[in-house]
Amino acid sequence: MSAELNIERNPKQKAPKTDKGKGATGERFVYQDDDAIEKPFNWKQLTRLISYMKPYAKQMIPLVIVLMIIGTITKLTVPYLTGQAIDKAIAPESGNPSLRLLYEITIAVLALYVIQYITGIFRIKYTNIIGQRVIYDLRADLFRHIQRLSFNFFDKRPAGSVLVRVTNDVNSLQDLFTNGVVNLMIDCVQLLGIVIILLAINWKLGLAVIVTVPIMFFISTALRVKIRRAWQDVRMKNSRINSHLNESIQGIRVTQAYTQEEENMKFFDEMNMDSKKSWDRASAMNQAFGPLIEITGGVGTLILFWLGSSLIQSGELTIGLLIAFSNYVGNFWEPINRLGMMYNQLLVAMASSERIFEFIDEKPNIDDAPNARKLPQIKGDIQLQKRRVRIRKKAGRRLKESIWT
């Protein structure tokens, strides 16, 4: 059915909003928008999404966790060795530099980088395998459930709106499962290790640097709801475009028969521009996290060198430990930056998962009874039997014919 034949489905329904206003073109094409989901961040739904990884919990996830721990330990050891190279090999308190010790520390650092590189390769490989299998299972469950839904479900929704749930919304979860979950664990373990090391080196300096983190999270909380709603709007705009494409392409013969190509193109341009603007708004909100983390990191670095220099003068801290501390602080803001990006990615994934589970939770109007008997295997054979049918005499003739049933 073409877009023109869909105009009168719902006379009360409003045309999609565009920057160009309603006009004749916008009123001729009417598609039912998906309802915006205004629920708060649902941790149960996130748990339901992560539950798709349970079938692989005993196969690959333990190996990935071991690789993650090894990589994190090697990464956190390098700054400490750097500080020891300065305090013990380059500028020791005795005043006698040790070139041999410097070579030994350098070789140890290179070995740690090699171990970190190898573990990273295998970790990425196995996480990609797990992610692709989870996406396969989720898409299969969604499509299998759609096959069971009643006719009125499809009458209320354009085919393109259903199509975008199975394709685009499921694909948007790919990054979450292939990289997001494992990177979240890596960053949390790395942050915990760095905090412990910072407090062990010098608890005063460590607390002074870490105190800026709660301030950053308090400010970023205000952006969460807006970002989530913005990505929901992006998904709805994409769904509308897919609906129009599906209706227009399937009904191209009717469109060309009534010379409505130009009207279709005008309306598609309006929808396309509306989708672009909604994406720009959501992307601009996402980008606000980067500068926020950089500013907080700059304040932390300023506190580090201001307080660290006074601790060196008082003899509570050495130059090597200050350099190691600086490296740890740099590694400290790196996972926080990734966690901010991960949070944005999680909001995008939650907007898509809400739309996916909305379909999965849809119940068919007519369903099999709990005690329904299972249909036996059907072979599909067709048997033709010859039967004689007698017909009364008419006009002095008696007709007899054989028919196949």
Side-chain angles (χ1 to χ4, degrees):
M1 184 181 292
S2 69
E4 286 77 23
L5 299 182
N6 260 346
I7 302 172
E8 303 298 334
R9 283 184 177 178
N10 188 356
K12 296 181 181 181
Q13 187 179 4
K14 296 181 181 180
K17 296 179 181 180
T18 61
D19 293 336
K20 296 182 180 180
K22 283 188 176 179
T25 304
E27 294 177 351
R28 294 182 66 252
F29 301 92
V30 178
Y31 300 100
Q32 180 178 356
D33 286 338
D34 299 321
D35 296 331
I37 303 174
E38 297 295 338
K39 300 177 183 177
F41 193 93
N42 194 337
W43 290 101
K44 291 183 179 180
Q45 183 168 286
L46 178 61
T47 305
R48 182 181 179 184
L49 193 63
I50 300 299
S51 66
Y52 277 87
M53 300 182 70
K54 285 185 178 179
Y56 314 102
K58 296 181 180 180
Q59 299 176 7
M60 295 183 181
I61 293 182
L63 179 59
V64 172
I65 293 176
V66 171
L67 295 173
M68 173 195 69
I69 294 175
I70 295 175
T72 303
I73 291 175
T74 55
K75 185 173 184 178
L76 295 182
T77 307
V78 172
Y80 176 77
L81 293 180
T82 304
Q84 292 300 308
I86 295 175
D87 288 339
K88 300 295 178 61
I90 299 176
E93 295 181 357
S94 61
N96 298 320
S98 175
L99 189 60
R100 179 180 177 180
L101 180 58
L102 181 61
Y103 286 155
E104 291 176 354
I105 294 177
T106 303
I107 294 174
V109 170
L110 291 176
L112 291 175
Y113 277 126
V114 171
I115 295 174
Q116 183 180 348
Y117 173 75
I118 295 174
T119 55
I121 290 177
F122 285 99
R123 176 180 56 80
I124 293 173
K125 174 184 176 181
Y126 290 123
T127 52
N128 285 334
I129 292 175
I130 295 174
Q132 291 303 319
R133 290 183 180 180
V134 170
I135 293 297
Y136 171 84
D137 294 339
L138 182 60
R139 182 179 282 116
D141 286 350
L142 177 60
F143 184 77
R144 190 181 301 111
H145 183 74
I146 290 176
Q147 303 302 303
R148 299 177 54 249
L149 295 178
S150 306
F151 290 153
N152 64 341
F153 173 83
F154 300 97
D155 292 338
K156 296 177 182 178
R157 294 169 177 82
S161 177
V162 179
L163 179 65
V164 75
R165 305 287 179 110
V166 184
T167 55
N168 294 7
D169 287 331
V170 176
N171 288 339
S172 64
L173 301 176
Q174 186 166 342
D175 290 337
L176 177 66
F177 285 114
T178 54
N179 298 318
V181 177
V182 176
N183 287 341
L184 176 63
M185 293 188 295
I186 293 175
D187 293 335
C188 290
V189 172
Q190 184 174 334
L191 278 176
L192 180 61
I194 291 176
V195 169
I196 294 175
I197 293 173
L198 290 180
L199 296 178
I201 293 176
N202 190 287
W203 66 271
K204 296 179 182 179
L205 190 58
L207 288 177
V209 173
I210 297 173
V211 75
T212 59
V213 178
I215 299 175
M216 180 198 66
F217 279 109
F218 177 77
I219 297 175
S220 63
T221 301
L223 297 175
R224 290 188 303 176
V225 178
K226 293 183 179 180
I227 292 177
R228 181 165 167 266
R229 290 177 179 174
W231 283 115
Q232 282 185 352
D233 185 61
V234 169
R235 298 298 171 195
M236 288 190 291
K237 295 296 191 303
N238 290 339
S239 176
R240 184 187 296 173
I241 288 179
N242 278 274
S243 300
H244 182 69
L245 286 174
N246 182 272
E247 299 284 338
S248 298
I249 293 174
Q250 286 187 357
I252 190 63
R253 294 182 179 179
V254 179
T255 301
Q256 293 180 351
Y258 290 93
T259 63
Q260 296 299 306
E261 298 90 341
E262 185 175 352
E263 298 295 327
N264 270 359
M265 288 186 289
K266 287 181 180 179
F267 186 71
F268 180 79
D269 288 341
E270 294 176 1
M271 297 175 71
N272 197 20
M273 179 59 68
D274 198 19
S275 176
K276 174 184 174 298
K277 290 182 178 180
S278 65
W279 181 276
D280 290 341
R281 286 192 296 269
S283 179
M285 292 182 184
N286 265 359
Q287 298 305 320
F289 271 92
L292 178 62
I293 294 175
E294 289 179 2
I295 292 174
T296 309
V299 173
T301 304
L302 180 64
I303 295 174
L304 167 66
F305 288 104
W306 173 73
L307 183 58
S309 59
S310 62
L311 292 176
I312 290 176
Q313 293 176 357
S314 63
E316 297 183 39
L317 195 68
T318 63
I319 297 178
L321 288 179
L322 180 62
I323 298 300
F325 210 98
S326 176
N327 290 333
Y328 281 121
V329 170
N331 292 333
F332 179 77
W333 292 113
E334 180 182 348
I336 287 183
N337 191 13
R338 285 198 301 264
L339 286 174
M341 297 173 60
M342 171 64 187
Y343 182 77
N344 297 334
Q345 186 183 39
L346 184 61
L347 291 176
V348 176
M350 290 302 295
S352 297
S353 64
E354 287 169 348
R355 293 161 53 83
I356 292 172
F357 288 133
E358 181 189 6
F359 273 23
I360 293 180
D361 295 336
E362 185 80 19
K363 303 296 182 182
N365 292 343
I366 302 175
D367 203 355
D368 293 336
N371 57 349
R373 291 183 298 175
K374 187 175 181 180
L375 186 67
Q377 184 66 28
I378 300 177
K379 296 181 180 180
D381 297 336
I382 300 177
Q383 295 180 357
L384 299 178
Q385 297 178 354
K386 186 176 182 181
R387 301 195 179 190
R388 303 182 67 84
V389 179
R390 294 181 179 180
I391 304 177
R392 295 179 180 180
K393 292 182 179 181
K394 184 177 182 181
R397 292 187 302 173
R398 187 171 182 273
L399 300 179
K400 264 185 191 178
E401 295 186 4
S402 301
I403 64 172
W404 297 89
T405 60

